[in-house]
Amino acid sequence: MLNILYFGDDRHFSTAFHRAKALERIGHKILLYHNPEETLPGYFKSSLMTAVNFRSGYRLVQPAIQSELKKILQSGIKPDVIWVDNGEFFGEKCLRILKQFNCPVILYSIDDPTGKRDGRRFDSFLSAIKLYDLIAVVRKETEDECKLLGAKNVLRVMRSYDEVAHAPYKNADEIPANFKSDVAFIGTWMRNENRDEFLKVLIDAGISVSIWGDRWPKSEHFELLKPFYHGPNLGGKDYIAAIQGAKICLGLLSKGNRDLHTTRSLEVPYAGGMLCAERTSEHTELYDDGKEAVFWNDAHECAALCKKLLAEKNIETIKNAGMKKVRALKLGNEDICRLILERGLSIAV
């Protein structure tokens, strides 16, 4: 059993929390689950300061975070390993404080910290990149760029589902009627990603799309999308209900984040949904197209594919095959956390 000092953050709270629980399930002890953003002085938490911090690489909050880390260091806890999820709040001086615990410091990021989409958001992280004992990332580009920036050890992994949080309803009849749909998209509206235009193509083709996610009212097409919009991002059993209750579940990538697969790519089949996503090298590596998931090259092909699938009787067959395949791939949080820890500790020895 390892004693783990774990740092999550609000932006990825649910995924970070699920990984911490997965570490506990595989036999480790979380000495402290710490969210750096929670401990910031109140004036940093306004919507204005949140935006300023994001765009300035969290430079202004560094003294406050360093002060909090010193308190943890002085508390006397003795971790065997430190796990940092995402790392955008921690600059070089923060890492030098963490190194005083004299144990391996591991970073795991499902973001694209070396990419261009988020501007200067990851400046603090990049200043500390050389001090991590291991950095685990989910993109080939990120792996290569972290190495070029001086990271000591970089491990590329696939994203993961959570074995407990994303488990499907045992009895599908228990799924509430308001979460049942023909085609579902669960995700945030993002500027310059054209997700609204993609969904507009499906709607114009006569497909009933159910949309859940944040910021959709910002879309210039929201008046068209509004009848299909069912509310903000989903969590917990509602998230599972919307996936499992849909005949088809769309998986849209973030081109700005250089995605070739996303967490939805694993969560949807695990939760009992049918993944309908862009045809990429990583998606076709994961699933047999047409048998375990279905893939398309553009919105028009997606619309035609959805119409064909809704008219046929093999959706449940594909759902079941995808669920079986994703379990066989062993890409749950427990599997990925175990892999990252083993690599991090082997390097430290």
Side-chain angles (χ1 to χ4, degrees), residues 137 139-149 154:
V137 297
R139 294 171 186 79
K140 176 62 177 170
E141 296 93 336
T142 316
E143 177 187 20
D144 293 340
E145 289 158 5
C146 282
K147 290 176 180 177
L148 287 172
L149 290 167
V154 186

Side-chain angles (χ1 to χ4, degrees), residues 6 16-17 46 51 54-55 128 158 170 180 184 188 296 310 323:
Y6 195 106
F17 180 75
S46 69
F54 184 97
R55 289 174 172 80
M158 299 296 281
K170 292 181 180 179
K180 293 183 178 180
T188 303
W296 37 263
L310 291 169
M323 185 187 291

Side-chain angles (χ1 to χ4, degrees), residues 48-334:
L48 174 61
M49 286 308 299
T50 297
V52 168
N53 287 330
F54 184 97
R55 289 174 172 80
S56 64
Y58 298 93
R59 285 177 172 82
L60 298 178
V61 303
Q62 290 304 294
I65 292 176
Q66 292 160 24
S67 176
E68 188 65 25
L69 293 180
K70 287 176 183 176
K71 290 178 185 177
I72 297 172
L73 179 64
Q74 292 162 5
S75 72
I77 65 172
K78 297 188 181 301
D80 298 308
V81 63
I82 295 171
W83 183 296
V84 178
D85 216 274
N86 204 45
E88 62 190 304
F89 289 95
F90 289 176
E92 180 181 354
K93 290 182 179 178
C94 292
L95 261 290
R96 294 200 181 279
I97 295 169
L98 293 181
K99 298 295 283 185
Q100 293 179 52
F101 281 99
N102 295 316
C103 67
V105 183
I106 294 171
L107 173 96
Y108 176 47
S109 175
I110 62 171
D111 258 312
D112 190 4
T114 57
K116 305 300 182 187
R117 189 191 72 174
D118 293 338
R120 307 194 71 87
R121 172 187 170 189
F122 288 99
D123 280 8
S124 291
F125 160 73
L126 295 175
S127 74
I129 197 169
K130 296 179 182 179
L131 295 172
Y132 285 97
D133 295 287
L134 175 69
I135 293 177
V137 297
V138 297
R139 294 171 186 79
K140 176 62 177 170
E141 296 93 336
T142 316
E143 177 187 20
D144 293 340
E145 289 158 5
C146 282
K147 290 176 180 177
L148 287 172
L149 290 167
K152 288 188 284 190
N153 298 287
V154 186
L155 171 67
R156 180 174 167 238
V157 297
M158 299 296 281
R159 291 176 177 82
S160 53
Y161 57 83
D162 188 78
E163 294 86 347
V164 174
H166 299 133
Y169 280 77
K170 292 181 180 179
N171 183 358
D173 292 336
E174 296 177 0
I175 297 172
N178 59 310
F179 288 118
K180 293 183 178 180
S181 65
D182 282 346
V183 179
F185 176 66
I186 308 163
T188 303
W189 175 86
M190 290 188 284
R191 195 178 306 278
N192 301 321
E193 290 289 354
N194 299 323
R195 290 177 169 184
D196 46 3
E197 293 181 11
F198 185 100
L199 295 178
K200 183 177 179 296
V201 170
L202 271 63
I203 292 167
D204 288 344
I207 296 167
S208 178
V209 181
S210 294
I211 305 166
W212 287 272
D214 292 341
R215 302 209 297 264
W216 281 95
K218 293 179 177 290
S219 166
E220 64 180 281
H221 301 295
F222 188 65
E223 284 307 308
L224 171 71
L225 301 176
K226 192 173 182 179
F228 304 90
Y229 180 65
H230 296 282
N233 279 345
L234 298 171
K237 294 302 287 184
D238 289 349
Y239 176 60
I240 304 307
I243 291 174
Q244 196 176 357
K247 294 175 183 176
I248 299 169
C249 201
L250 299 175
L252 303 185
L253 306 176
S254 169
K255 298 301 174 58
N257 246 9
R258 303 186 291 183
D259 286 340
L260 293 177
H261 80 289
T262 71
T263 53
R264 296 281 192 278
S265 306
L266 294 313
E267 292 168 358
V268 167
Y270 183 81
M274 190 184 77
L275 178 66
C276 179
E278 184 173 345
R279 186 176 288 108
T280 69
S281 57
E282 290 179 4
H283 275 152
T284 55
E285 182 182 339
L286 287 166
Y287 305 110
D288 190 345
D289 189 3
K291 295 182 178 179
E292 297 165 341
V294 291
F295 302 128
W296 37 263
N297 289 329
D298 57 38
H300 295 284
E301 184 182 358
C302 178
L305 187 57
C306 286
K307 281 190 170 183
K308 180 174 182 289
L309 288 163
L310 291 169
E312 294 175 349
K313 304 293 184 182
N314 65 336
I315 285 178
E316 289 301 317
T317 301
I318 298 172
K319 281 187 175 185
N320 291 332
M323 185 187 291
K324 183 178 179 181
K325 178 60 174 294
V326 78
R327 283 161 170 74
L329 290 169
K330 294 189 178 298
L331 293 176
N333 276 336
E334 295 172 22

